[in-house]
Amino acid sequence: MSATPPADGSERPGRIMSGEMAEQPAVLRRILDEGAPGIREVAAAVAARKPRFVLLTARGTSDNAALYAKYLLEIRLGMPCGLASMSTTTAYGARPDLRDVLVVTVSQSGGSPDLVASTGAAREAGAITLAVTNNRDSPLAAVSEYHIDILAGPERALPATKTYTASLLSLYLFVEGLRGGDGAAAEVLPERAGEILARGDEVRTLAARYRFADRMVITSRGYGYPTAKEAALKLMETSYIPALSYSGADLLHGPLAMVDNISPVIAVVTDGRGGEALQPVLDRLRGRGADLFVVGPQAQVAAASAGFVLPTAGVAEEVQPVLEILPLQMLAYEVTIARGQDPDAPRALAKVTETH
């Protein structure tokens, strides 16, 4: 995915995002080799305190990573989880009783004031607080009792790519540590990620198909649902195409009516129970003549209008989201380039978003 500067010496739009996407196999390997021992230590310390409930706090891309953690915690540990509404604390001054509650705050920069304030208030209210960031020296890390560094390295492009997959892997290893697992299912990820990222020409061809799309619908179920939400965010912030993300179940409850044979529908089909649960939705979409793009197993891609086959053979369902997002990051990048825009610097956005 690395970009070559044009012959006239100017810098090609998107070269930073392209380079950071290409770093992802190395980042995943770094987490497994260097970060995993520390993550296990944090998980052991938290598990010893026996939290009764988990609250996940985040914004933007990190919010999608937190949603992935919610699926892991509920499925792998049977632990009840919720996504926090920070304004209840920062705007309304609510102070709930958070004794024995684990509050996990996910943030690339660790610098947004509302994340710092709500995490500090949670700690004062008795919570066990954990920050998951790409900046060990951030205000969020300082205010939290525990910290996990996702080891992604500096990320300069405004659209987050490597920090998203690094957050997913770090959260997976943390949850596995809570349950006493070794996280061995993740060992295959760096190699498979490299295989996917080497297929840039394939994605570029697909992007030409969607260059002039007015809107997109992205759907999935189970572990794939956070991927659908993150893919929609990437498309909107880079190419400015309105992209609506839905759980497959929610799509059938009304929004299916807007699906036609013009606006593309992207289905993220996890190889496992989530994909099985999505099957009735795929059948309904095909019945409506939808322009269906599938990211998933060969059999599902073959039955769609277009798609990208994921190398998921032998990959546990719970870690497939680390791979699922990669072709969709590339799709957002390539569609943006095809539309004559620069994915490195989307309009009206800043790398650190300071919400209050």
Side-chain angles (χ1 to χ4, degrees), residues 30 64 69 73 94 111 119 123 131 166 243:
R30 185 185 309 137
N64 299 326
L73 288 159
T119 301
R123 189 170 181 179

Side-chain angles (χ1 to χ4, degrees), residues 57-344:
T57 306
R59 296 283 191 202
T61 284
S62 294
D63 198 31
N64 299 326
L67 179 59
Y68 167 69
K70 184 176 187 291
Y71 276 90
L72 287 172
L73 288 159
E74 291 182 345
I75 296 170
R76 306 285 287 170
L77 271 69
M79 182 175 287
C81 301
L83 299 176
S85 300
M86 282 171 280
S87 63
T88 61
T89 298
T90 59
Y92 292 93
R95 291 296 183 266
D97 180 0
L98 297 178
R99 286 173 294 178
D100 301 322
V101 173
L102 171 61
V103 172
V104 180
T105 307
V106 186
S107 171
Q108 173 196 320
S109 68
S112 185
D114 59 348
L115 293 170
V116 175
S118 63
T119 301
R123 189 170 181 179
E124 292 173 1
I128 307 161
T129 53
L130 166 64
V132 180
T133 80
N134 196 38
N135 184 359
R136 65 170 64 248
D137 298 319
S138 64
L140 180 60
V143 79
S144 300
E145 189 173 358
Y146 300 101
H147 178 249
I148 289 174
D149 187 342
I150 65 173
L151 301 177
E155 189 173 58
R156 295 188 295 132
L158 288 178
T161 54
K162 63 179 183 176
T163 52
Y164 179 69
T165 51
S167 295
L168 295 189
L169 178 54
S170 298
L171 288 163
Y172 167 75
L173 293 173
F174 171 68
V175 173
E176 285 301 289
L178 288 178
R179 65 192 293 270
D182 59 8
E187 282 294 327
V188 71
L189 294 177
E191 180 179 355
R192 297 291 175 90
E195 294 172 7
I196 292 170
L197 291 168
R199 295 161 61 188
D201 290 345
E202 184 180 337
V203 176
R204 194 169 300 114
T205 300
L206 289 167
R209 181 186 179 101
Y210 303 113
R211 176 181 177 183
F212 299 108
D214 291 326
R215 70 166 188 250
M216 291 187 179
V217 173
I218 308 178
T219 188
S220 189
R221 291 203 68 179
Y223 285 115
Y225 180 43
T227 306
K229 291 177 67 66
E230 175 61 11
L233 177 59
K234 283 293 153 286
L235 282 162
M236 288 188 288
E237 69 183 355
T238 57
S239 69
Y240 317 140
I241 296 174
L244 308 174
S245 59
Y246 295 98
S247 157
D250 288 333
L251 183 63
L252 297 183
H253 285 268
L256 184 67
M258 70 177 172
V259 173
D260 53 30
N261 62 355
I262 299 174
S263 299
V265 178
I266 299 175
V268 181
V269 185
T270 303
D271 191 0
R273 293 188 183 183
E276 293 168 4
L278 190 63
Q279 190 58 53
V281 183
L282 299 175
D283 293 340
R284 292 284 298 277
L285 289 169
R286 293 187 187 104
R288 290 188 60 81
D291 179 0
L292 182 60
F293 175 106
V294 167
V295 175
Q298 173 67 55
Q300 295 291 349
V301 171
S305 307
F308 187 99
V309 177
L310 285 176
T312 53
V315 181
E317 182 178 2
E318 60 268 20
V319 297
Q320 289 179 34
V322 179
L323 303 178
E324 290 167 349
I325 191 58
L326 300 178
L328 295 167
Q329 289 175 348
M330 291 193 288
L331 182 69
Y333 168 87
E334 293 292 353
V335 168
T336 304
I337 294 293
R339 289 163 72 96
Q341 296 151 200
D342 185 357
D344 284 344

